[in-house]
Amino acid sequence: MKQNHLTKSTTVVDKSNYDNCTDNTEKNIHFSYTVKEKKLLIVLGLFEDTKIAGFEFSWLGSIFYLGYLAFQIPNQYFIQHFSLLKYLGVCLVLWGIILVCTALAKNFSQLLVLRFFQGFFEAAVYPGKKS
């Protein structure tokens, strides 16, 4: 089955744009984008609760990897100089605290900082992953 590539912008999925679509194909594209990509976010109300826009949501994904990258070199040093059991335990507890705090975030700035630290502390377990 051949997959259709989206030719129109699919960043806006609100009901007003859905109703203004002129043909069924465009409506199906917007509907499938909403269901597949943003269903969980719509259900949880992330956009409404934190009042973020589409480009800010993209930054939340990007900043995670910036934090992940920033911790790679310090992580290698800490693994060599501290007990691995205690070091990973502390990093995982801090990562869990950051995850809980993410649920309490009220705006884009708070989410941005928390996502950075999620990547930061998640990078601690990278050397232990198997390919």
Side-chain angles (χ1 to χ4, degrees):
M1 183 172 174
K2 187 177 179 181
Q3 293 182 350
N4 294 335
H5 295 286
L6 299 178
T7 57
K8 300 215 180 237
S9 172
T10 57
T11 56
V12 180
V13 292
D14 60 344
K15 184 160 175 36
S16 63
N17 277 350
Y18 180 78
D19 289 339
N20 292 333
C21 295
T22 56
D23 63 338
N24 289 333
T25 306
E26 193 173 348
K27 285 184 180 182
N28 290 338
I29 289 171
H30 283 284
F31 181 74
S32 66
Y33 179 76
T34 303
V35 170
K36 290 180 183 174
E37 300 296 328
K38 299 206 177 199
K39 181 177 181 181
L40 183 61
L41 299 175
I42 291 170
V43 170
L44 297 177
L46 179 67
F47 287 102
E48 292 82 17
D49 291 346
T50 59
K51 297 174 182 55
I52 61 173
F55 74 93
E56 291 172 331
F57 181 70
S58 298
W59 268 107
L60 293 177
S62 299
I63 199 74
F64 174 85
Y65 291 105
L66 186 63
Y68 199 93
L69 181 64
F71 197 56
Q72 288 302 306
I73 293 176
N75 182 46
Q76 297 303 315
Y77 175 80
F78 293 143
I79 285 176
Q80 294 173 7
H81 290 86
F82 295 109
S83 165
L84 188 60
L85 179 66
K86 290 178 183 176
Y87 171 68
L88 283 179
V90 167
C91 285
L92 290 176
V93 167
L94 290 174
W95 177 74
I97 291 169
I98 295 295
L99 284 178
V100 170
C101 290
T102 301
L104 304 174
K106 300 291 182 199
N107 59 34
F108 174 67
S109 302
Q110 293 172 353
L111 282 173
L112 197 66
V113 169
L114 291 168
R115 286 291 292 173
F116 177 84
F117 283 113
Q118 278 180 354
F120 194 81
F121 291 116
E122 192 169 315
V125 297
Y126 176 73
K129 286 185 177 180
K130 290 185 177 182
S131 310

